[in-house]
Amino acid sequence: QVQLVESGGGLVQAGGSLRLSCAASGSTFSINDMGWYRQAPGKRRELVARISTSGITNLADSVKGRFTISRGNAKNTVFLQMNSLKPEDTAVYYCNLTPYRGAIRLDDYWGQGTQVTVSS
């Protein structure tokens, strides 16, 4: 069973920075995308950033130039460096792992979420 454990959320003033970390355990998949999604109160969960096993990244337009996603050397960790934070970045941030068996996408795994609050 794959488990994702997030850390690094918290309260920060606008313009500040936070770094989120997510560690996956129990995964035997050699090919997997990892990423971060967020959900603000009353809104749908939305993609923030994703990174493939080969390091290809995809960031939402709203965070380009401010957020950076990266993977650890072991490939089962993912980080989200968030700079120049804005109040509209306030949300619960969820770590995601999408495994693949060859070209076949398998079911997603999700972390429990970590709160990020940006005060104005």
Side-chain angles (χ1 to χ4, degrees):
Q1 182 69 18
V2 176
Q3 289 188 320
L4 303 177
V5 178
E6 302 123 330
S7 61
L11 173 65
V12 66
Q13 288 188 331
S17 298
L18 284 173
R19 180 176 169 88
L20 304 183
S21 301
C22 174
S25 61
S27 173
T28 60
F29 303 103
S30 60
I31 302 174
N32 60 72
D33 293 351
M34 294 188 75
W36 293 92
Y37 290 71
R38 67 187 181 188
Q39 187 168 17
K43 295 188 176 181
R44 298 178 63 180
R45 189 174 296 188
E46 63 177 3
L47 169 70
V48 177
R50 290 182 65 84
I51 184 168
S52 70
T53 302
S54 60
I56 297 172
T57 62
N58 177 30
L59 279 79
D61 288 342
S62 59
V63 306
K64 285 180 180 177
R66 301 188 298 121
F67 292 10
T68 304
I69 188 169
S70 60
R71 299 185 73 147
N73 291 333
K75 302 299 183 185
N76 63 343
T77 54
V78 64
F79 307 99
L80 186 68
Q81 179 65 44
M82 305 185 293
N83 298 327
S84 302
L85 282 160
K86 303 176 181 180
E88 51 262 44
D89 295 316
T90 295
V92 178
Y93 283 69
Y94 296 91
C95 180
N96 167 269
L97 185 151
T98 303
Y100 290 83
R101 184 172 294 128
I104 300 174
R105 177 173 175 162
L106 305 176
D107 291 342
D108 287 355
Y109 293 90
W110 294 92
Q112 79 284 358
T114 185
Q115 177 70 45
V116 171
T117 302
V118 184
S119 62
S120 57

